[in-house]
Amino acid sequence: MDYKIYILKVFLFLIYLFFGILNNLYAKDLISGYHFSEPSTQMIQDDEFLNPGFIWVEHGKALWEKKENVSDLSCNSCHGKVSNMKGVAIKFPKVNKSENFINLEQQINICREKEMKARKFEPESKNLLALSVLLYYQSKGLKQNIEINEDNKKWFDIGEELYFKKIGQMGLSCNQCHDDRVGNNLRAEKVSQGHINGFPSYLLRWSKIASVHRRIQFCNEQARAIPFKIFSKEYNALQLYLTWRGKGLEIETPAVRK
Ligand code: HEC
Ligand code: HEC
């Protein structure tokens, strides 16, 4: 009797070991960029009064209610309270009804132009990023959970390819830093896993909010590679791939980084 229990225990232990090894091989733990930041930076992010990203949230709220001259419409006129937008931002980048592959900032501009008869906001402009931060903030605490399906598969594949592609004078790919050098120091910064669950994020070095596309441009520039344009299909493809790669991480917008 006893030895049967013993064998059962050994057997269970082996199963436990087996899955432990499998887990280590295939499911690298996802770690938010937050955990690679210095404590002083984390403290700024955690405190709503210190976190400068909340100035953008407030500005976004004002814009949400602002009526445009020609149409006399605000975002609120059609979409109602901004809290209705919970869970919306995390569905981007996506292929929309007109079969365009767009991110959230582009959707905002489409609504401005088509629905409100107003001018598009410039890429990286304060107004555009404020609305984007506001909308991602509505999904704070929700997990990234993007679905890859027949609509976006093509873009996902392009994004994956770009993530592993060696580029620039130094021949560096994203994964060489954000998978292979995680935790190493690079110019007084700790290399993180390169997730985007805190975006748009406040960058202390620039005293402003940066979009995902702007952040990737910055990584390209630092690796001496020629960057793509903000709103390019290439960056949307990378953004899609990064969103999928961070599946399960909670939205932290507005995050604060160095
Ligand atoms: C030479 C190394 C290097 C390469 C190559 C590189 N990055 Fe980065 N990246 C960094 C460093 C350093 C930071 C700032 C510290 C951190 O957050 O990892 C950063 C930050 C980021 C962040 C912000 C993470 C956060 O939590 O705020 C994202 C997203 C990102 N990189 C994506 C990319 C993508 C996509 C590529 C490929 C196109 C790329 N990086 C290529 C070094 C690199
Ligand atoms: C006249 C009505 C109207 C106004 C005003 C308007 N929108 Fe829209 N919005 C729409 C419609 C209709 C859709 C769906 C269209 C589509 O799927 O392409 C939409 C879609 C969206 C979506 C995506 C929703 C989803 O579930 O995928 C976002 C985000 C959004 N709008 C943000 C805004 C913002 C921000 C403003 C203000 C700058 C705004 N909209 C102003 C009508 C409007």
Side-chain angles (χ1 to χ4, degrees), residues 90-96 100-102 145-160 236-237 240-241 243-244:
I90 58 174
K91 302 264 192 315
F92 286 83
K94 72 171 178 194
V95 178
N96 68 7
N100 286 321
F101 180 50
I102 56 166
N145 187 21
I146 201 122
E147 211 186 294
I148 306 305
N149 51 35
E150 53 188 31
D151 290 336
N152 61 12
K153 178 78 167 72
K154 169 181 137 197
W155 297 111
F156 175 82
D157 290 343
I158 294 174
E160 183 174 45
N236 271 343
L240 177 67
Y241 180 73
T243 310
W244 172 84

mmCIF file of all heavy atoms in Angstrom, residues 90-96 100-102 145-160 236-237 240-241 243-244:
data_model
loop_
_atom_site.group_PDB
_atom_site.id
_atom_site.type_symbol
_atom_site.label_atom_id
_atom_site.label_comp_id
_atom_site.label_asym_id
_atom_site.label_seq_id
_atom_site.Cartn_x
_atom_site.Cartn_y
_atom_site.Cartn_z
ATOM 1 N N ILE A 90 -7.857 48.525 -26.650
ATOM 2 C CA ILE A 90 -7.025 47.316 -26.721
ATOM 3 C C ILE A 90 -7.351 46.448 -27.940
ATOM 4 O O ILE A 90 -6.685 45.447 -28.172
ATOM 5 C CB ILE A 90 -7.104 46.466 -25.425
ATOM 6 C CG1 ILE A 90 -8.542 46.043 -25.125
ATOM 7 C CG2 ILE A 90 -6.543 47.236 -24.249
ATOM 8 C CD1 ILE A 90 -8.639 45.089 -23.930
ATOM 9 N N LYS A 91 -8.344 46.857 -28.720
ATOM 10 C CA LYS A 91 -8.658 46.116 -29.957
ATOM 11 C C LYS A 91 -7.814 46.627 -31.142
ATOM 12 O O LYS A 91 -7.877 46.083 -32.244
ATOM 13 C CB LYS A 91 -10.133 46.288 -30.317
ATOM 14 C CG LYS A 91 -11.097 45.822 -29.239
ATOM 15 C CD LYS A 91 -11.551 44.408 -29.533
ATOM 16 C CE LYS A 91 -12.713 43.925 -28.696
ATOM 17 N NZ LYS A 91 -12.663 44.212 -27.272
ATOM 18 N N PHE A 92 -7.054 47.692 -30.909
ATOM 19 C CA PHE A 92 -6.231 48.286 -31.985
ATOM 20 C C PHE A 92 -4.793 47.799 -31.874
ATOM 21 O O PHE A 92 -4.381 47.433 -30.785
ATOM 22 C CB PHE A 92 -6.283 49.813 -31.869
ATOM 23 C CG PHE A 92 -7.596 50.393 -32.327
ATOM 24 C CD1 PHE A 92 -8.688 50.439 -31.467
ATOM 25 C CD2 PHE A 92 -7.751 50.855 -33.625
ATOM 26 C CE1 PHE A 92 -9.904 50.957 -31.893
ATOM 27 C CE2 PHE A 92 -8.964 51.382 -34.053
ATOM 28 C CZ PHE A 92 -10.050 51.435 -33.186
ATOM 29 N N PRO A 93 -4.015 47.851 -32.961
ATOM 30 C CA PRO A 93 -4.354 48.185 -34.353
ATOM 31 C C PRO A 93 -5.276 47.124 -34.961
ATOM 32 O O PRO A 93 -5.158 45.953 -34.605
ATOM 33 C CB PRO A 93 -3.012 48.170 -35.080
ATOM 34 C CG PRO A 93 -1.962 47.992 -34.052
ATOM 35 C CD PRO A 93 -2.605 47.519 -32.808
ATOM 36 N N LYS A 94 -6.152 47.581 -35.850
ATOM 37 C CA LYS A 94 -7.070 46.615 -36.454
ATOM 38 C C LYS A 94 -7.397 46.977 -37.894
ATOM 39 O O LYS A 94 -7.149 48.098 -38.343
ATOM 40 C CB LYS A 94 -8.336 46.533 -35.618
ATOM 41 C CG LYS A 94 -9.236 47.746 -35.730
ATOM 42 C CD LYS A 94 -10.532 47.421 -35.025
ATOM 43 C CE LYS A 94 -11.470 48.592 -35.033
ATOM 44 N NZ LYS A 94 -12.566 48.422 -34.088
ATOM 45 N N VAL A 95 -7.957 46.007 -38.586
ATOM 46 C CA VAL A 95 -8.421 46.247 -39.946
ATOM 47 C C VAL A 95 -9.874 46.700 -39.819
ATOM 48 O O VAL A 95 -10.698 45.995 -39.245
ATOM 49 C CB VAL A 95 -8.324 44.954 -40.790
ATOM 50 C CG1 VAL A 95 -8.858 45.187 -42.194
ATOM 51 C CG2 VAL A 95 -6.890 44.449 -40.832
ATOM 52 N N ASN A 96 -10.152 47.911 -40.298
ATOM 53 C CA ASN A 96 -11.508 48.444 -40.116
ATOM 54 C C ASN A 96 -12.427 48.031 -41.270
ATOM 55 O O ASN A 96 -12.024 47.294 -42.169
ATOM 56 C CB ASN A 96 -11.478 49.962 -39.896
ATOM 57 C CG ASN A 96 -11.052 50.728 -41.143
ATOM 58 O OD1 ASN A 96 -10.894 50.153 -42.212
ATOM 59 N ND2 ASN A 96 -10.867 52.013 -40.988
ATOM 60 N N ASN A 100 -8.892 49.153 -44.067
ATOM 61 C CA ASN A 100 -7.633 49.829 -43.773
ATOM 62 C C ASN A 100 -7.107 49.315 -42.442
ATOM 63 O O ASN A 100 -7.880 49.052 -41.518
ATOM 64 C CB ASN A 100 -7.846 51.341 -43.681
ATOM 65 C CG ASN A 100 -8.047 51.953 -45.049
ATOM 66 O OD1 ASN A 100 -7.388 51.559 -46.010
ATOM 67 N ND2 ASN A 100 -8.964 52.889 -45.153
ATOM 68 N N PHE A 101 -5.802 49.173 -42.380
ATOM 69 C CA PHE A 101 -5.156 48.693 -41.162
ATOM 70 C C PHE A 101 -4.699 49.904 -40.358
ATOM 71 O O PHE A 101 -3.796 50.621 -40.782
ATOM 72 C CB PHE A 101 -3.981 47.798 -41.558
ATOM 73 C CG PHE A 101 -3.223 47.224 -40.409
ATOM 74 C CD1 PHE A 101 -3.869 46.574 -39.371
ATOM 75 C CD2 PHE A 101 -1.837 47.296 -40.380
ATOM 76 C CE1 PHE A 101 -3.161 46.027 -38.312
ATOM 77 C CE2 PHE A 101 -1.114 46.753 -39.328
ATOM 78 C CZ PHE A 101 -1.782 46.123 -38.299
ATOM 79 N N ILE A 102 -5.356 50.181 -39.246
ATOM 80 C CA ILE A 102 -5.138 51.446 -38.530
ATOM 81 C C ILE A 102 -4.922 51.220 -37.038
ATOM 82 O O ILE A 102 -5.362 50.216 -36.474
ATOM 83 C CB ILE A 102 -6.347 52.401 -38.686
ATOM 84 C CG1 ILE A 102 -7.642 51.706 -38.211
ATOM 85 C CG2 ILE A 102 -6.485 52.882 -40.120
ATOM 86 C CD1 ILE A 102 -8.802 52.652 -38.017
ATOM 87 N N ASN A 145 -5.118 41.486 -25.040
ATOM 88 C CA ASN A 145 -5.730 40.216 -25.425
ATOM 89 C C ASN A 145 -6.130 40.259 -26.895
ATOM 90 O O ASN A 145 -7.274 39.968 -27.237
ATOM 91 C CB ASN A 145 -6.958 39.986 -24.534
ATOM 92 C CG ASN A 145 -7.552 38.623 -24.747
ATOM 93 O OD1 ASN A 145 -6.869 37.723 -25.239
ATOM 94 N ND2 ASN A 145 -8.815 38.466 -24.415
ATOM 95 N N ILE A 146 -5.204 40.644 -27.732
ATOM 96 C CA ILE A 146 -5.562 40.825 -29.140
ATOM 97 C C ILE A 146 -5.680 39.467 -29.833
ATOM 98 O O ILE A 146 -4.948 38.535 -29.517
ATOM 99 C CB ILE A 146 -4.548 41.744 -29.864
ATOM 100 C CG1 ILE A 146 -5.161 42.342 -31.129
ATOM 101 C CG2 ILE A 146 -3.262 41.013 -30.234
ATOM 102 C CD1 ILE A 146 -5.184 43.821 -31.161
ATOM 103 N N GLU A 147 -6.635 39.402 -30.742
ATOM 104 C CA GLU A 147 -6.894 38.150 -31.447
ATOM 105 C C GLU A 147 -6.262 38.225 -32.830
ATOM 106 O O GLU A 147 -6.402 39.236 -33.510
ATOM 107 C CB GLU A 147 -8.405 38.031 -31.614
ATOM 108 C CG GLU A 147 -8.939 36.629 -31.628
ATOM 109 C CD GLU A 147 -10.418 36.659 -31.957
ATOM 110 O OE1 GLU A 147 -11.205 37.196 -31.139
ATOM 111 O OE2 GLU A 147 -10.761 36.184 -33.056
ATOM 112 N N ILE A 148 -5.576 37.159 -33.218
ATOM 113 C CA ILE A 148 -5.050 37.112 -34.582
ATOM 114 C C ILE A 148 -6.026 36.260 -35.399
ATOM 115 O O ILE A 148 -6.327 35.128 -35.040
ATOM 116 C CB ILE A 148 -3.625 36.505 -34.612
ATOM 117 C CG1 ILE A 148 -2.697 37.263 -33.646
ATOM 118 C CG2 ILE A 148 -3.049 36.529 -36.029
ATOM 119 C CD1 ILE A 148 -2.609 38.764 -33.861
ATOM 120 N N ASN A 149 -6.556 36.866 -36.447
ATOM 121 C CA ASN A 149 -7.572 36.175 -37.246
ATOM 122 C C ASN A 149 -7.294 36.406 -38.733
ATOM 123 O O ASN A 149 -6.271 36.986 -39.105
ATOM 124 C CB ASN A 149 -8.967 36.680 -36.860
ATOM 125 C CG ASN A 149 -9.033 38.198 -36.884
ATOM 126 O OD1 ASN A 149 -8.399 38.833 -37.727
ATOM 127 N ND2 ASN A 149 -9.771 38.782 -35.969
ATOM 128 N N GLU A 150 -8.198 35.981 -39.559
ATOM 129 C CA GLU A 150 -7.901 36.077 -40.995
ATOM 130 C C GLU A 150 -7.789 37.532 -41.471
ATOM 131 O O GLU A 150 -7.131 37.801 -42.471
ATOM 132 C CB GLU A 150 -8.911 35.291 -41.825
ATOM 133 C CG GLU A 150 -10.362 35.640 -41.549
ATOM 134 C CD GLU A 150 -11.307 34.675 -42.267
ATOM 135 O OE1 GLU A 150 -10.925 33.500 -42.445
ATOM 136 O OE2 GLU A 150 -12.407 35.128 -42.647
ATOM 137 N N ASP A 151 -8.435 38.455 -40.751
ATOM 138 C CA ASP A 151 -8.339 39.867 -41.142
ATOM 139 C C ASP A 151 -6.932 40.432 -40.920
ATOM 140 O O ASP A 151 -6.424 41.185 -41.743
ATOM 141 C CB ASP A 151 -9.318 40.725 -40.321
ATOM 142 C CG ASP A 151 -10.760 40.442 -40.705
ATOM 143 O OD1 ASP A 151 -10.970 39.968 -41.845
ATOM 144 O OD2 ASP A 151 -11.650 40.669 -39.862
ATOM 145 N N ASN A 152 -6.357 40.112 -39.766
ATOM 146 C CA ASN A 152 -5.091 40.788 -39.440
ATOM 147 C C ASN A 152 -3.855 39.893 -39.554
ATOM 148 O O ASN A 152 -2.740 40.354 -39.334
ATOM 149 C CB ASN A 152 -5.167 41.416 -38.039
ATOM 150 C CG ASN A 152 -5.399 40.391 -36.949
ATOM 151 O OD1 ASN A 152 -5.296 39.192 -37.177
ATOM 152 N ND2 ASN A 152 -5.715 40.869 -35.748
ATOM 153 N N LYS A 153 -4.044 38.625 -39.904
ATOM 154 C CA LYS A 153 -2.917 37.673 -39.946
ATOM 155 C C LYS A 153 -1.765 38.169 -40.821
ATOM 156 O O LYS A 153 -0.595 38.074 -40.461
ATOM 157 C CB LYS A 153 -3.433 36.312 -40.453
ATOM 158 C CG LYS A 153 -2.367 35.240 -40.600
ATOM 159 C CD LYS A 153 -1.985 34.640 -39.248
ATOM 160 C CE LYS A 153 -1.166 33.373 -39.356
ATOM 161 N NZ LYS A 153 0.193 33.553 -39.807
ATOM 162 N N LYS A 154 -2.130 38.714 -41.975
ATOM 163 C CA LYS A 154 -1.109 39.203 -42.902
ATOM 164 C C LYS A 154 -0.221 40.256 -42.222
ATOM 165 O O LYS A 154 1.008 40.218 -42.322
ATOM 166 C CB LYS A 154 -1.841 39.822 -44.105
ATOM 167 C CG LYS A 154 -0.986 40.599 -45.052
ATOM 168 C CD LYS A 154 -1.831 41.170 -46.191
ATOM 169 C CE LYS A 154 -1.444 42.599 -46.498
ATOM 170 N NZ LYS A 154 -2.449 43.311 -47.286
ATOM 171 N N TRP A 155 -0.865 41.171 -41.492
ATOM 172 C CA TRP A 155 -0.106 42.234 -40.818
ATOM 173 C C TRP A 155 0.686 41.689 -39.649
ATOM 174 O O TRP A 155 1.802 42.127 -39.363
ATOM 175 C CB TRP A 155 -1.050 43.352 -40.371
ATOM 176 C CG TRP A 155 -1.711 43.987 -41.539
ATOM 177 C CD1 TRP A 155 -3.039 43.910 -41.872
ATOM 178 C CD2 TRP A 155 -1.086 44.762 -42.574
ATOM 179 N NE1 TRP A 155 -3.264 44.593 -43.038
ATOM 180 C CE2 TRP A 155 -2.093 45.124 -43.492
ATOM 181 C CE3 TRP A 155 0.231 45.168 -42.803
ATOM 182 C CZ2 TRP A 155 -1.830 45.884 -44.622
ATOM 183 C CZ3 TRP A 155 0.501 45.927 -43.930
ATOM 184 C CH2 TRP A 155 -0.518 46.276 -44.821
ATOM 185 N N PHE A 156 0.110 40.721 -38.978
ATOM 186 C CA PHE A 156 0.815 40.072 -37.869
ATOM 187 C C PHE A 156 2.122 39.453 -38.367
ATOM 188 O O PHE A 156 3.181 39.617 -37.755
ATOM 189 C CB PHE A 156 -0.088 39.000 -37.248
ATOM 190 C CG PHE A 156 0.592 38.202 -36.187
ATOM 191 C CD1 PHE A 156 0.695 38.692 -34.894
ATOM 192 C CD2 PHE A 156 1.162 36.964 -36.474
ATOM 193 C CE1 PHE A 156 1.343 37.968 -33.908
ATOM 194 C CE2 PHE A 156 1.816 36.234 -35.495
ATOM 195 C CZ PHE A 156 1.900 36.737 -34.209
ATOM 196 N N ASP A 157 2.042 38.767 -39.498
ATOM 197 C CA ASP A 157 3.247 38.122 -40.054
ATOM 198 C C ASP A 157 4.310 39.156 -40.412
ATOM 199 O O ASP A 157 5.498 38.946 -40.172
ATOM 200 C CB ASP A 157 2.885 37.296 -41.296
ATOM 201 C CG ASP A 157 2.066 36.058 -40.929
ATOM 202 O OD1 ASP A 157 2.066 35.679 -39.742
ATOM 203 O OD2 ASP A 157 1.416 35.486 -41.826
ATOM 204 N N ILE A 158 3.868 40.270 -40.984
ATOM 205 C CA ILE A 158 4.822 41.334 -41.319
ATOM 206 C C ILE A 158 5.454 41.892 -40.040
ATOM 207 O O ILE A 158 6.668 42.109 -39.962
ATOM 208 C CB ILE A 158 4.121 42.456 -42.126
ATOM 209 C CG1 ILE A 158 3.690 41.903 -43.490
ATOM 210 C CG2 ILE A 158 5.036 43.667 -42.296
ATOM 211 C CD1 ILE A 158 2.857 42.868 -44.324
ATOM 212 N N GLY A 159 4.636 42.075 -39.023
ATOM 213 C CA GLY A 159 5.135 42.592 -37.742
ATOM 214 C C GLY A 159 6.165 41.658 -37.127
ATOM 215 O O GLY A 159 7.219 42.095 -36.646
ATOM 216 N N GLU A 160 5.868 40.388 -37.167
ATOM 217 C CA GLU A 160 6.787 39.396 -36.600
ATOM 218 C C GLU A 160 8.123 39.414 -37.352
ATOM 219 O O GLU A 160 9.197 39.391 -36.760
ATOM 220 C CB GLU A 160 6.158 38.002 -36.670
ATOM 221 C CG GLU A 160 7.021 36.939 -36.033
ATOM 222 C CD GLU A 160 6.309 35.587 -35.985
ATOM 223 O OE1 GLU A 160 5.700 35.193 -37.002
ATOM 224 O OE2 GLU A 160 6.370 34.940 -34.926
ATOM 225 N N ASN A 236 2.476 49.903 -37.688
ATOM 226 C CA ASN A 236 1.229 49.296 -37.213
ATOM 227 C C ASN A 236 1.381 47.785 -37.104
ATOM 228 O O ASN A 236 0.859 47.173 -36.175
ATOM 229 C CB ASN A 236 0.066 49.649 -38.144
ATOM 230 C CG ASN A 236 -0.610 50.950 -37.725
ATOM 231 O OD1 ASN A 236 -0.431 51.412 -36.604
ATOM 232 N ND2 ASN A 236 -1.380 51.528 -38.623
ATOM 233 N N ALA A 237 2.111 47.202 -38.069
ATOM 234 C CA ALA A 237 2.330 45.746 -38.027
ATOM 235 C C ALA A 237 3.151 45.383 -36.789
ATOM 236 O O ALA A 237 2.831 44.431 -36.069
ATOM 237 C CB ALA A 237 3.028 45.280 -39.303
ATOM 238 N N LEU A 240 0.972 45.689 -33.731
ATOM 239 C CA LEU A 240 0.103 44.514 -33.601
ATOM 240 C C LEU A 240 0.881 43.341 -33.019
ATOM 241 O O LEU A 240 0.425 42.669 -32.091
ATOM 242 C CB LEU A 240 -0.486 44.144 -34.967
ATOM 243 C CG LEU A 240 -1.364 42.891 -35.008
ATOM 244 C CD1 LEU A 240 -2.646 43.101 -34.213
ATOM 245 C CD2 LEU A 240 -1.708 42.514 -36.449
ATOM 246 N N TYR A 241 2.080 43.130 -33.558
ATOM 247 C CA TYR A 241 2.896 42.022 -33.070
ATOM 248 C C TYR A 241 3.236 42.214 -31.587
ATOM 249 O O TYR A 241 3.146 41.284 -30.785
ATOM 250 C CB TYR A 241 4.185 41.872 -33.897
ATOM 251 C CG TYR A 241 5.043 40.735 -33.397
ATOM 252 C CD1 TYR A 241 4.666 39.421 -33.630
ATOM 253 C CD2 TYR A 241 6.191 40.981 -32.656
ATOM 254 C CE1 TYR A 241 5.416 38.367 -33.134
ATOM 255 C CE2 TYR A 241 6.946 39.935 -32.153
ATOM 256 C CZ TYR A 241 6.560 38.632 -32.397
ATOM 257 O OH TYR A 241 7.300 37.591 -31.884
ATOM 258 N N THR A 243 1.577 43.912 -29.365
ATOM 259 C CA THR A 243 0.365 43.755 -28.552
ATOM 260 C C THR A 243 0.096 42.266 -28.304
ATOM 261 O O THR A 243 -0.228 41.854 -27.183
ATOM 262 C CB THR A 243 -0.852 44.382 -29.264
ATOM 263 O OG1 THR A 243 -0.517 45.702 -29.687
ATOM 264 C CG2 THR A 243 -2.057 44.460 -28.352
ATOM 265 N N TRP A 244 0.281 41.481 -29.358
ATOM 266 C CA TRP A 244 0.088 40.028 -29.226
ATOM 267 C C TRP A 244 1.146 39.424 -28.296
ATOM 268 O O TRP A 244 0.843 38.585 -27.445
ATOM 269 C CB TRP A 244 0.183 39.384 -30.622
ATOM 270 C CG TRP A 244 0.189 37.893 -30.572
ATOM 271 C CD1 TRP A 244 -0.893 37.068 -30.506
ATOM 272 C CD2 TRP A 244 1.355 37.045 -30.546
ATOM 273 N NE1 TRP A 244 -0.477 35.753 -30.461
ATOM 274 C CE2 TRP A 244 0.889 35.715 -30.479
ATOM 275 C CE3 TRP A 244 2.740 37.299 -30.592
ATOM 276 C CZ2 TRP A 244 1.761 34.624 -30.458
ATOM 277 C CZ3 TRP A 244 3.607 36.203 -30.551
ATOM 278 C CH2 TRP A 244 3.111 34.890 -30.490
#
